[in-house]
């Protein structure tokens, strides 16, 4: 750094630092605004997909209820037809045929894919937030140097004894300082909003994870019931109840 011999030298050096600081802050504000928009869109998609997952869960529960009703009807039919006493309770149900995959299971697979897309969008927003935070830290560390330059060139001056150019330069620096402070406040507020957005996205992702686990269990239960129903229907149609006695 060049030696500061006069007030004009100190003001000129401070001007350069303030200009760089404002440029960096402007870039940070653009990055945080873009990150906020990306995070907001990702959160909206996550909430929409949570509603879809809840609907699929309701469909799966309805399917389980229908299969339970079907089982009761099969029990009544077996008692009426005389097949009940020939039923072997220890027999393991056959696996369902691939052609009997329910529409609910396909919806479940689609919901799992949407959850993976949510995780990817969340990681992108988090990385952009980290880049903005690192740049902000770099700018803030430049501020003490600016104060040192001002104090090294003008050491407790008597304002009345300063020349007009120096007074104008100091006024310009003070106004620009106020602008920088306002930009820092705006950046801090934006980072706070990003932090809250990240927390909300984390909670949403956790909620969806719980929903997906519950949905997986519900669909697995429906598949097991479907296999039993198919097996009993097949034995009833082919008359294999009595042949296994």
């Amino acid at each position: 750094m060049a030696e500061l011999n006069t007030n004009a030298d100190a003001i000129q050096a401070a001007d350069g630092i303030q200009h760089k600081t404002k440029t960096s802050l402007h870039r940070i504000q653009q990055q945080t605004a873009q990150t906020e928009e990306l995070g907001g869109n990702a959160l909206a998609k996550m909430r929409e997909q949570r509603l879809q997952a809840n609907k699929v869960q309701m469909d799966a529960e309805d399917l389980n209820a229908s299969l339970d009703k079907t089982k009761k009807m099969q029990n009544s039919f077996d008692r009426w037809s005389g097949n009940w006493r020939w039923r072997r309770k220890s027999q393991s149900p056959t696996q369902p045929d691939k052609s009997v995959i329910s529409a609910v299971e396909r919806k479940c697979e689609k919901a799992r894919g949407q959850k993976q897309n949510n995780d990817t969008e969340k990681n992108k927003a988090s990385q952009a937030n980290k880049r903005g935070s690192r740049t902000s830290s770099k700018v803030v560390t430049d501020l003490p140097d600016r104060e040192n330059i001002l104090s090294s060139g003008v050491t407790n001056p008597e304002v009345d004894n300063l020349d007009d150019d120096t007074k104008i330069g100091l006024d310009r620096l003070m106004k620009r300082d106020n602008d920088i402070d306002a930009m820092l406040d705006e950046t801090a507020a934006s980072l706070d909003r990003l932090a809250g957005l990240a927390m909300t996205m984390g909670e949403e992702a956790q909620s969806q994870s719980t929903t997906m686990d519950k949905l997986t269990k519900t669909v697995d239960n429906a598949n097991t019931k479907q296999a039993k129903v198919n097996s009993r229907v097949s034995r009833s149609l082919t008359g294999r109840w009595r042949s296994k006695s």
Side-chain angles (χ1 to χ4, degrees):
M1 181 182 296
E3 185 177 355
L4 305 177
N5 297 321
T6 64
N7 292 341
D9 292 339
I11 291 174
Q12 184 178 3
D15 274 334
I17 292 177
Q18 285 184 332
H19 176 71
K20 292 180 180 179
T21 301
K22 289 189 70 174
T23 301
S24 298
L25 284 173
H26 182 67
R27 184 167 57 252
I28 292 172
Q29 287 178 333
Q30 289 180 330
Q31 292 175 348
T32 53
Q34 293 174 356
T35 305
E36 278 191 79
E37 182 179 2
L38 177 63
N41 293 336
L43 182 59
K45 290 181 180 179
M46 292 175 69
R47 287 172 174 169
E48 180 180 353
Q49 290 166 358
R50 173 168 52 84
L51 295 177
Q52 293 177 352
N54 290 337
K55 185 177 183 304
V56 174
Q57 173 65 26
M58 293 176 62
D59 291 341
E61 291 175 354
D62 290 342
L63 176 60
N64 273 277
S66 297
L67 290 171
D68 290 338
K69 184 177 180 180
T70 301
K71 179 181 177 181
K72 292 180 180 179
M73 294 174 65
Q74 286 180 323
N75 291 342
S76 298
F77 175 79
D78 289 339
R79 285 193 294 267
W80 173 80
S81 62
N83 289 332
W84 185 265
R85 56 198 176 119
W86 303 104
R87 183 181 177 188
R88 301 179 61 182
K89 296 184 179 180
S90 61
Q91 183 178 359
S92 299
T94 59
Q95 295 296 324
D97 193 48
K98 291 183 178 180
S99 60
V100 196
I101 298 177
S102 64
V104 175
E105 186 174 13
R106 290 194 296 270
K107 290 183 180 180
C108 181
E109 293 297 331
K110 181 178 179 181
R112 290 194 186 100
Q114 291 174 343
K115 181 176 180 296
Q116 293 177 353
N117 293 335
N118 286 343
D119 294 338
T120 302
E121 293 175 355
K122 179 183 175 184
N123 291 334
K124 290 181 180 178
S126 177
Q127 291 174 1
N129 188 10
K130 291 180 180 178
R131 288 196 300 268
S133 299
R134 288 197 297 269
T135 309
S136 177
S137 300
K138 181 179 179 181
V139 174
V140 172
T141 56
D142 289 336
L143 296 179
D145 294 335
R146 179 191 64 198
E147 296 176 355
N148 292 335
I149 290 175
L150 288 173
S151 61
S152 63
V154 183
T155 306
N156 296 326
E158 293 290 342
V159 177
D160 294 338
N161 295 331
L162 296 176
D163 58 84
D164 291 339
D165 290 339
T166 302
K167 291 180 180 179
I168 293 173
L170 288 175
D171 288 340
R172 183 174 64 252
L173 291 178
M174 291 179 64
K175 290 179 181 179
R176 194 174 294 158
D177 250 351
N178 292 333
D179 293 340
I180 291 174
D181 289 340
M183 293 178 71
L184 287 172
D185 291 339
E186 292 175 2
T187 302
S190 180
L191 292 175
D192 288 340
R193 290 193 297 271
L194 284 175
L197 186 61
M199 291 180 62
T200 304
M201 292 177 68
E203 293 172 355
E204 184 68 27
Q206 181 62 36
S207 175
Q208 288 196 21
S209 178
T210 302
T211 300
M212 292 304 302
D213 291 341
K214 181 179 179 181
L215 179 58
T216 300
K217 293 179 181 179
T218 304
V219 172
D220 289 343
N221 190 27
N223 286 336
T224 301
K225 292 179 180 180
Q226 184 71 61
K228 292 179 179 179
V229 168
N230 292 343
S231 177
R232 292 182 65 179
V233 169
S234 176
R235 288 195 295 269
S236 296
L237 293 176
T238 58
R240 293 168 58 190
W241 287 107
R242 295 180 181 278
S243 63
K244 290 185 176 292
S245 61

